[in-house]
Amino acid sequence: PTALLVLGIQQIHVGQEMIGKISAAGQLMQCSASLDVLFLLDGSYSIGKGSFERSKHFAGRLCDALDIHPDRVRVGMIQFSSTPHLEFPLDSYLTKQEVKERIKRTIFRGGSTETGRALKYILHKGFPGGRNSSVPEVLIIISDGKSQGSTATPAMQVKERHITVFAVGIKFPRWEELHILASEPPERHLLFAGDADDAANGLYSTLSDPVCTATAPGCKVESHPCERRTLETVKELAGHYVCWKGSKQPNAVQASLCPFIRWKRVFIKHPSRCFRTVCPDPCDSQPCQNGGTCVPEGLDRYHCLCLLGYGGDVHCAAKLSLECSVDLLFLMDSSAGVTLEGFLRFKAFLKRFLQAVVGQDSPVSLGVAQYDDSVKIPIELGQHKDVISLMKSIDTLNFSGGRTLTGRALQYIAQHGFRSTPVFADVQDDLPRVVVLLTDSKSQDSVAEAAKYAKDQNLFLIGIGSSFMRAELTTVTGNPQQTIVYSDPQDLFNRMAELQRKICSVGNPEGCQAQSLDLAFAVDASSGVGLENFLRLRHFVRSSCLHFIINRDVTQIALVIYGSKAHTVFALDTHTSNSAVLQAIDQVAFLGDSASAGTALLHVYSDVMTVQKGARPGVNKVVVLLTNGGGMQDAAAPAQQLRHNGILVFVVVIGDTERDTLLRVAGSPSYLVHISSYEDLQYYQGLIIERICEEARSPVNLCKPNPCMNQGVCILGPGSYRCECHGWEGPHCETRILRGDSLRSPALPPRSHVQWSPRGLQHFSRALQHSKR
């Protein structure tokens, strides 16, 4: 074996969650059979009183795995040191509680370790209080294996009597001797007292066929590779020293080099097999929806940790609330093209959505219509005052299966759908009118004219359908932001929060609405992300941009991609419309080298969020860093520099990364979103945009970042600022002052007025050198 200076006694390669599951499952496993079990506890001085107490605790834990009863498992115990001592025979205590209490009361005796003498005692006396030879006998030796005499012969004789011997190592055991004591095969009969769950599972596993019977259906014990280590004393050559030896010559000695040996204690590693009980996991069926995480509670219960915006039920249904007053009509496709399965899916979606958003005090007036060749409105607007009666009415809707005439249905709804809206005393009668079209079948008539007519009647249209319906739904709504396209049937149910936002954005654009914002995306395009995931990040940026009004007055957006170097794809003032930004994003190419997030943030600070590159004074500024967590080591300082200049750094990390590093970059947990996979990124878009918009509404320091160019000092006034220039003039110190044949040397402004950056010092230095020429 290889000597290793390492810590720990046993290394099992499983996480804490798995260890919890193993422990819970192991408690259900019990050996229930006619069985005589005799504990042989080492009570010698080499064990010591502390380890002897641990041996007693371990024996009690093993009793938990035994169904102790007069007709099933009986337990006795012998303590051995210089001589063996019978603590209690097998027929003394006949319940599990009695046996465990008696084990606790056992007193440490001390003495030399005479394991061979203890085995001979068993050969001579048998199992004290045991039954006849038809009952299997199990001997469990708990020792450090450091016996004073030979154990090989008596151990072999015990096993020849068909006694099953388990050798359990305690403290720092001598595993070679324990191997000699244990029955064949030794890897199944060698246990470690330092891990009671593993030992109990190993005991059960070895005895289960054919002795024990399981009491937990579906559970099984499985083995897995592990390492067991023990502390041993070894010799080590520490070096040589000068020593003197005799010489043949009289009255003379001879100098020589003698080896210097020292003894040291090292851990010795022993490859082994460990055991765990595995039962069916309640999370195996993946009951949590919408990106929720399933957390098992024992073996038959679980709970779901839901993402923000979900938790409407125990399985993470959307947790929504229509905090907006609208007249809302769902128009469901019931034609043959959508099929019965599709119609039932729409019904289920409608019920889940309404259960999540319609409360007792909901200001929504709601109705449901369905169509094929003709249109029916089985649930008139405002007909139901509570969720229960509404659900019952939705349950009665039946599939009809005619032709798909979506255009005709839209025309009919525009004329007749909102006529019966009741007028309540506490709700104004001119509420926005919203139609949500649920369809999964191409229309067999024209939808363009009917959609135009509906919009002329001041109806706000939202379309929901699968991906191949995208073009037709955009024709109906007239705006891709008013369409919801799902990739598969389950994905439909993930879109409830998005639908809620679109309904409540009637008359108000989504995103930050009228708030001004300078927004920069810094996207990791390194090889650590990979091409496929980079395309997902690019799509995320693209879909996020749809939530903002992009022009000079509202939102300006810049895009930076980075690997080892950063590149500006477009600056804040490059594009002045949504369509131009989207087109530019689609052209962004993958880089594929190593990642440096610090380089990217420094680039955003010096080359993006500046007045020269289109940043607007008095407008909130946000940087969204999208990364897999690679190359973050150098990012904390530039991120702090951005924050110091009034620019928020929002860090979105996908995958496993050290949280402390991420927090240093984000500055606060509020500005850090940690996502487990790229597939889950979509579920966080609403949260990220919401946090960005909160920042857009926060107060602005007009002098951060400094709007003054060429080292001008920004001086705040009441609701305004001015630039104090040195060698320059203009509102932002943008024009050089020429006086005669020479330039006025720019004076260094007072240190208290300005925070110099390395780049700023370079600019100042260049200007100073130029002025001296």
Side-chain angles (χ1 to χ4, degrees):
T2 306
L4 294 176
L5 284 170
V6 293
L7 296 175
I9 308 302
Q10 182 169 358
Q11 182 176 345
I12 303 177
H13 300 284
V14 292
Q16 286 301 316
E17 181 183 345
M18 174 60 83
I19 289 171
K21 289 180 184 178
I22 292 167
S23 180
Q27 291 167 16
L28 293 186
M29 308 300 289
Q30 284 200 340
C31 181
S32 184
S34 291
L35 190 67
D36 284 349
V37 176
L38 181 63
F39 284 105
L40 188 60
L41 261 66
D42 186 342
S44 65
Y45 289 130
S46 68
I47 285 285
K49 189 171 182 180
S51 290
F52 182 73
E53 291 299 316
R54 285 191 286 275
S55 297
K56 285 162 51 179
H57 172 74
F58 172 74
R61 289 291 301 273
L62 280 191
C63 287
D64 289 331
L66 303 173
D67 185 13
I68 298 174
H69 185 274
D71 299 327
R72 294 187 286 278
V73 181
R74 294 187 183 183
V75 174
M77 190 166 81
I78 293 173
Q79 180 182 172
F80 74 94
S81 51
S82 303
T83 58
H85 175 81
L86 177 64
E87 295 292 347
F88 60 93
L90 285 99
D91 55 1
S92 292
Y93 303 102
L94 302 178
T95 69
K96 185 178 298 187
Q97 193 59 36
E98 288 175 347
V99 170
K100 291 179 70 173
E101 286 296 326
R102 178 60 182 83
I103 291 174
K104 283 183 182 178
R105 296 199 305 270
T106 303
I107 298 171
F108 175 67
R109 297 181 179 276
S112 59
T113 313
E114 298 289 350
T115 312
R117 182 176 293 180
L119 294 175
K120 290 174 182 175
Y121 175 89
I122 292 170
L123 288 169
H124 177 65
K125 299 274 189 177
F127 272 37
R131 287 165 282 187
N132 58 44
S133 59
S134 64
V135 176
E137 294 177 324
V138 174
L139 178 65
I140 301 177
I141 305 171
I142 305 177
S143 171
D144 61 0
K146 297 172 182 175
S147 178
Q148 257 69 54
S150 173
T151 59
T153 301
M156 181 182 66
Q157 291 171 341
V158 166
K159 288 179 276 190
E160 285 175 350
R161 292 202 182 178
H162 304 292
I163 297 173
T164 302
V165 182
F166 286 89
V168 181
I170 190 74
K171 202 175 180 181
F172 298 113
R174 187 172 290 158
W175 292 105
E176 292 84 355
E177 183 168 319
L178 294 178
H179 267 269
I180 294 170
L181 296 175
S183 293
E184 294 291 334
E187 65 270 10
R188 293 188 64 83
H189 294 83
L190 202 62
L191 307 174
F192 180 58
D195 188 336
D197 284 326
D198 168 57
N201 287 321
L203 175 71
Y204 178 86
S205 173
T206 304
L207 296 178
S208 60
D209 186 19
V211 179
C212 302
T213 55
T215 58
C219 297
K220 62 181 180 181
V221 176
E222 62 179 32
S223 66
H224 59 100
C226 62
E227 292 176 356
R228 292 187 172 131
R229 297 168 180 175
T230 188
L231 190 65
E232 298 203 2
T233 304
V234 296
K235 283 197 304 185
E236 179 182 74
L237 177 64
H240 293 79
Y241 66 97
V242 176
C243 58
W244 305 95
K245 298 182 177 180
S247 173
K248 293 181 180 179
Q249 299 176 3
N251 302 319
V253 293
Q254 182 178 354
S256 179
L257 287 177
C258 297
F260 174 60
I261 303 296
R262 68 181 177 192
W263 297 85
K264 66 185 295 185
R265 306 189 81 187
V266 297
F267 283 102
I268 307 296
K269 181 173 66 174
H270 297 267
S272 185
R273 302 292 300 178
C274 294
F275 299 88
R276 58 189 175 211
T277 304
V278 179
C279 295
D281 193 325
C283 289
D284 287 345
S285 60
Q286 299 180 333
C288 304
Q289 299 156 354
N290 300 309
T293 302
C294 183
V295 179
E297 296 176 349
L299 299 175
D300 56 354
R301 294 167 56 191
Y302 63 89
H303 69 271
C304 295
L305 295 178
C306 304
L307 301 179
L308 188 67
Y310 298 91
D313 64 11
V314 295
H315 296 124
C316 298
K319 186 178 182 180
L320 309 169
S321 175
L322 281 179
E323 297 174 352
C324 52
S325 298
V326 295
D327 287 340
L328 179 60
L329 182 71
F330 284 89
L331 179 59
M332 293 172 56
D333 187 346
S334 181
S335 67
V338 80
T339 72
L340 173 60
E341 181 185 3
F343 178 75
L344 294 176
R345 186 183 308 128
F346 284 149
K347 273 180 62 174
F349 172 79
L350 182 55
K351 287 179 65 176
R352 291 259 300 269
F353 179 76
L354 296 178
Q355 284 172 330
V357 303
V358 179
Q360 294 296 323
D361 303 321
S362 175
V364 181
S365 172
L366 192 138
V368 180
Q370 64 181 98
Y371 75 94
D372 52 359
D373 298 283
S374 59
V375 185
K376 295 183 293 184
I377 308 179
I379 303 174
E380 299 279 356
L381 277 166
Q383 177 180 335
H384 294 285
K385 304 298 187 293
D386 63 87
V387 179
I388 296 174
S389 62
L390 180 61
M391 293 299 115
K392 288 180 179 177
S393 294
I394 293 174
D395 282 333
T396 63
L397 300 180
N398 293 315
F399 179 63
S400 47
R403 291 183 298 158
T404 311
L405 301 181
T406 308
R408 181 176 176 179
L410 289 169
Q411 183 95 14
Y412 182 90
I413 290 300
Q415 294 171 342
H416 307 288
F418 292 85
R419 284 188 175 180
S420 58
T421 305
V423 178
F424 299 105
D426 58 341
V427 181
Q428 55 185 0
D429 61 354
D430 58 346
L431 296 178
R433 296 175 169 184
V434 182
V435 177
V436 178
L437 172 64
L438 288 159
T439 180
D440 206 14
S441 175
K442 292 287 180 69
S443 179
Q444 292 171 262
D445 64 349
S446 174
V447 296
E449 289 300 319
K452 183 178 183 304
Y453 176 78
K455 281 177 272 192
D456 289 343
Q457 307 306 307
N458 292 320
L459 300 187
F460 184 86
L461 302 179
I462 298 173
I464 302 177
S466 56
S467 52
F468 85 100
M469 292 294 298
R470 186 189 300 272
E472 184 170 303
L473 291 174
T474 303
T475 302
V476 169
T477 62
N479 184 349
Q481 293 186 59
Q482 290 165 223
T483 63
I484 296 175
V485 175
Y486 56 89
S487 56
D488 56 64
Q490 180 55 44
D491 188 40
L492 168 63
F493 294 91
N494 296 335
R495 302 308 183 98
M496 290 194 288
E498 185 179 352
L499 174 59
Q500 181 262 347
R501 290 197 304 271
K502 292 187 187 301
I503 292 171
C504 285
S505 70
V506 175
N508 298 303
E510 288 192 59
C512 299
Q513 294 144 12
Q515 296 293 328
S516 296
L517 178 68
D518 284 346
L519 174 61
F521 288 96
V523 181
D524 189 343
S526 67
S527 56
V529 170
L531 175 59
E532 183 180 353
N533 292 327
F534 171 74
L535 295 177
R536 288 193 175 102
L537 293 179
R538 192 177 76 177
H539 176 75
F540 176 81
V541 173
R542 190 185 196 282
S543 60
S544 297
C545 290
L546 291 171
H547 293 264
F548 299 92
I549 301 172
I550 300 174
N551 59 43
R552 290 277 187 264
D553 299 318
V554 186
T555 302
Q556 290 190 149
I557 293 182
L559 176 60
V560 171
I561 60 171
Y562 70 91
S564 57
K565 296 180 179 179
H567 307 272
T568 302
V569 178
F570 51 85
L572 288 167
D573 60 354
T574 304
H575 300 300
T576 57
S577 68
N578 286 69
S579 58
V581 166
L582 298 180
Q583 188 174 354
I585 291 171
D586 288 339
Q587 306 303 314
V588 179
F590 177 59
L591 297 177
D593 55 355
S594 60
S596 172
T599 299
L601 293 177
L602 199 60
H603 178 82
V604 170
Y605 173 80
S606 58
D607 290 321
V608 177
M609 289 294 185
T610 64
V611 174
Q612 296 94 319
K613 296 299 174 71
R616 296 166 294 176
V619 173
N620 275 307
K621 293 170 173 57
V622 177
V623 181
V624 179
L625 179 68
L626 291 162
T627 174
N628 73 338
M632 299 292 283
Q633 297 81 5
D634 60 348
Q640 180 57 39
Q641 193 173 17
L642 284 163
R643 281 192 294 275
H644 179 78
N645 283 274
I647 303 167
L648 170 70
V649 180
F650 202 101
V651 181
V652 180
V653 179
I654 302 96
D656 296 328
T657 310
E658 186 183 343
R659 185 171 174 81
D660 289 345
T661 303
L662 303 177
L663 280 173
R664 285 197 295 272
V665 179
S668 163
S670 301
Y671 302 119
L672 173 63
V673 175
H674 204 161
I675 304 171
S676 58
S677 68
Y678 288 89
E679 292 77 8
D680 290 342
L681 184 60
Q682 58 180 321
Y683 304 128
Y684 288 82
Q685 187 174 63
L687 166 67
I688 293 167
I689 290 172
E690 182 182 325
R691 293 291 292 108
I692 291 171
C693 294
E694 284 177 12
E695 185 64 21
R697 291 188 286 271
S698 64
V700 183
N701 184 336
L702 296 175
C703 284
K704 285 192 175 184
N706 185 6
C708 308
M709 293 186 263
N710 300 305
Q711 303 309 313
V713 179
C714 180
I715 299 174
L716 277 173
S720 64
Y721 68 91
R722 65 182 178 85
C723 289
E724 187 176 281
C725 308
H726 302 274
W728 303 79
E729 60 185 0
H732 296 104
C733 306
E734 67 273 16
T735 306
R736 189 186 295 273
I737 297 175
L738 294 174
R739 294 190 177 178
D741 295 329
S742 64
L743 277 170
R744 187 178 71 181
S745 297
L748 184 67
R751 290 178 64 87
S752 60
H753 286 185
V754 65
Q755 293 288 332
W756 290 105
S757 68
R759 189 177 181 84
L761 285 171
Q762 290 170 11
H763 280 304
F764 181 79
S765 176
R766 291 193 200 107
L768 195 63
Q769 291 169 7
H770 184 76
S771 67
K772 291 177 180 177
R773 289 175 186 169

